[in-house]
Amino acid sequence: MKDFAFGKENFVLIAIAVVLIIIGFALMSGAASSDGVSFNPKLFSTQRIVIAPILTVLGFALVIIGILKKPKDTSDIETISGK
């Protein structure tokens, strides 16, 4: 088995973060106006300007946490450093 820099918990956190980011960007997008030139008031909906950016920022923060989180098992750290 190969030694990875991240543990299983790190990969799970990063996977959850990627899903949150994808959901956030999907919520930011939406249907355009029917004829392409008229104004669509749904552009300023709470979903697009509040919920979606919060989900996206939480996803990016969770990626950072997933990268910086140290493994619980200290033997993982010793095998990575070669000690």
Side-chain angles (χ1 to χ4, degrees):
M1 184 172 173
K2 292 189 174 215
D3 294 330
F4 292 108
F6 298 132
K8 181 180 177 183
E9 189 175 348
N10 298 87
F11 285 117
V12 169
L13 285 174
I14 292 171
I16 292 170
V18 169
V19 169
L20 278 177
I21 293 168
I22 291 170
I23 291 172
F25 276 110
L27 289 176
M28 275 190 241
S29 67
S33 59
S34 59
D35 60 358
V37 291
S38 62
F39 177 72
N40 187 354
K42 291 184 180 180
L43 177 68
F44 299 110
S45 68
T46 305
Q47 170 187 323
R48 286 187 179 179
I49 63 173
V50 177
I51 297 170
I54 289 173
L55 278 177
T56 306
V57 169
L58 285 175
F60 283 119
L62 196 58
V63 167
I64 293 170
I65 292 169
I67 291 171
L68 295 178
K69 184 168 177 50
K70 292 184 181 182
K72 290 182 181 179
D73 189 17
T74 56
S75 65
D76 289 343
I77 297 171
E78 292 172 2
T79 57
I80 293 170
S81 64
K83 292 182 181 178

